[in-house]
Structures are given as C-alpha cells and as structure tokens.
C-alpha cells in the first residue's frame, strides 16, 4: 500500500506527505494523526480506511521508504500523458514568459508552486526525423497540464526543482537577457522559494 520506492510517489503525493511531516506534533494523538495523513498521502486511501490499518505497519512502511534517499539524477526529458517534455536546464534559454511563470509559482507555495514551476521549466516537443521539434501548447490546455504535472514522479521533479533553485540563486548574469529589476525580483523570489520548495522536498529525509 505504501510505495517501497520513491519513483512510485508522485509530486503531489510527496508534497502532501511532506506537509504531514512538518505538521507532526509531540503528543501521541498528534503523531497518530500525522501517520494517518502520511499514509493517505502516499497511498491515496481515505482517512477512514487508514484508521483501520495497524499503526506499526504504517510506521514500518514509511520508515522503509524514507530510508532510501530520493535519487538526484536529473532527467532531461520525460513523458506526461503522451506528451514529451524537455526541461530547460540553461536559464538563459528561458523566455520572459517562462521566467515570469516560474517566479509567479514561487509566490504560490505548496504543491501548486512545484507543478507550475515545473511546467514553465519544460517545453513540449515531438520527434521529427530523429530531431526534437519544439512547440507550445494551446492556452486552453495549460491549466489542466499544470495540474497534470502533479503526477510526475518525485524522482523526476525533485532533482530539477533543487537544481534550478540553486542555479537561479547563484546566477550572476541574468542581466544579459533580462532587466536589472526583473533580475532582482527573480533572486528575491528564488530565496523565498528555496525555503518553500527545497525544505519541503528535502526536510523529511533523516
């Protein structure tokens, strides 16, 4: 019921799991409530179903999963619902629209911010004569696709989110492509986002 590997955990599930970890209190009942929320997040079962499970089996399952670190390999491409995407690893290749989308995501917090940031860091493509032909999605498809990005395995989203936040924070030459005002705004948001995103995604490790 509880996945034994991180590649079976979606981004949306992990963010709910991490939130349950952060909200865990010190009292026995608070710890039990947190356990219930964690198993619901990881397995998709209801709270009523989770309450019928032996607490020891829940603890053992979560401990087994957490004993394995989330892989750090960065996947440049991935397939989501039949659409191939490529992550933009060089921030200089981001358009003003994509950078604005990432910066706006930093304000949102929680799983929605991860999903939106990942969406704007990825560009769809089709293979044409063994080459990638990039294109843009219809505007009407964007909201649903951002939601779908919550289904990306955490093993794909975690490395790219941490990579880009660190890169954005340390970058010195955005002014080549963007105004100084936008650059300063990007750095400020990246610093705020690092707490919201990286600590949520790394903080549950022991």
């Amino acid at each position: 019921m509880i996945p034994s590997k991180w590649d079976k955990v979606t981004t949306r599930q992990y963010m709910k799991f991490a939130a349950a970890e952060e909200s865990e209190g010190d009292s026995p009942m608070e710890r039990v409530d947190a356990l219930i929320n964690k198993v619901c997040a990881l397995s998709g079962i209801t709270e009523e179903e989770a309450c019928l499970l032996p607490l020891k089996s829940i603890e053992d399952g979560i401990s087994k999963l957490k004993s394995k670190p989330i892989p750090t390999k960065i996947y440049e491409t991935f397939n989501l619902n039949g659409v191939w995407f490529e992550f933009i690893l060089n921030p200089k290749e981001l358009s003003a629209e994509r950078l604005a989308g990432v910066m706006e995501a930093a304000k949102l917090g929680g799983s929605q911010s991860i999903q939106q940031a990942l969406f704007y860091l990825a560009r769809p493509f089709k293979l044409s004569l063994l080459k990638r032909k990039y294109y843009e999605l219809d505007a009407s498809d964007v909201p649903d696709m951002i939601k779908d990005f919550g289904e990306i395995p955490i093993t794909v989203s975690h490395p790219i989110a941490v990579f880009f936040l660190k890169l954005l924070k340390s970058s010195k030459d955005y002014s080549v492509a963007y105004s100084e005002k936008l650059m300063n705004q990007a750095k400020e948001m990246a610093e705020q986002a690092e707490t919201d995103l990286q600590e949520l995604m790394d903080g549950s490790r022991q």
Side-chain angles (χ1 to χ4, degrees):
M1 184 173 295
I2 295 175
S4 59
K5 296 182 179 180
W6 286 114
D7 60 3
K8 302 299 182 182
V9 178
T10 69
T11 299
R12 183 179 291 110
Q13 287 176 317
Y14 184 86
M15 297 305 291
K16 291 180 179 179
F17 171 75
E21 289 252 289
E22 294 231 335
S23 65
E24 185 172 342
D26 296 325
S27 72
M29 284 309 300
E30 287 175 329
R31 291 197 294 271
V32 169
D33 287 342
L35 273 178
I36 296 300
N37 290 334
K38 291 175 191 178
V39 72
C40 288
L42 292 173
S43 66
I45 63 176
T46 65
E47 183 176 338
E48 290 75 15
E49 292 171 325
C51 287
L52 299 176
L53 298 174
L55 293 177
K56 184 64 166 59
S57 68
I58 296 177
E59 290 180 323
D60 289 346
I62 292 175
S63 295
K64 182 178 179 181
L65 178 64
K66 288 176 59 177
S67 68
K68 305 168 184 176
I70 300 175
T72 58
K73 176 183 176 180
I74 292 179
Y75 290 89
E76 180 185 0
T77 63
F78 63 96
N79 188 288
L80 179 61
N81 296 337
V83 179
W84 279 100
F85 287 90
E86 175 190 87
F87 280 124
I88 302 173
L89 300 180
N90 184 349
K92 290 183 179 181
E93 295 180 5
L94 287 173
S95 65
E97 178 182 5
R98 288 187 180 278
L99 180 59
V102 174
M103 295 302 99
E104 181 63 28
K107 299 178 182 179
L108 299 176
S111 60
Q112 187 178 358
S113 64
I114 292 285
Q115 293 165 213
Q116 181 168 321
L118 291 173
F119 172 79
Y120 282 105
L121 289 174
R123 51 187 172 187
F125 70 89
K126 295 180 180 179
L127 288 177
S128 177
L129 297 178
L130 302 180
K131 294 183 179 180
R132 297 174 187 174
K133 184 177 182 181
Y134 303 103
Y135 66 97
E136 295 297 332
L137 298 172
D138 291 338
S140 60
D141 295 330
V142 170
D144 287 339
M145 185 59 73
I146 290 178
K147 291 180 181 178
D148 290 344
F149 265 63
E151 300 307 310
I152 296 176
I154 193 63
T155 49
V156 174
S157 60
H158 175 269
I160 197 69
V162 173
F163 167 81
F164 189 80
L165 285 172
K166 289 181 177 178
L167 185 65
L168 183 60
K169 188 175 181 180
S170 63
S171 178
K172 304 294 185 183
D173 54 6
Y174 268 108
S175 57
V176 172
Y178 303 105
S179 68
E180 181 178 353
K181 180 178 180 181
L182 182 58
M183 178 57 187
N184 290 337
Q185 181 184 32
K187 285 187 175 181
E188 290 173 3
M189 289 183 179
E191 291 173 357
Q192 296 172 358
E194 185 166 350
T195 298
D196 294 336
L197 307 184
Q198 189 167 329
E199 286 189 359
L200 273 177
M201 302 185 86
D202 286 342
S204 67
R205 294 193 203 173
Q206 295 181 348

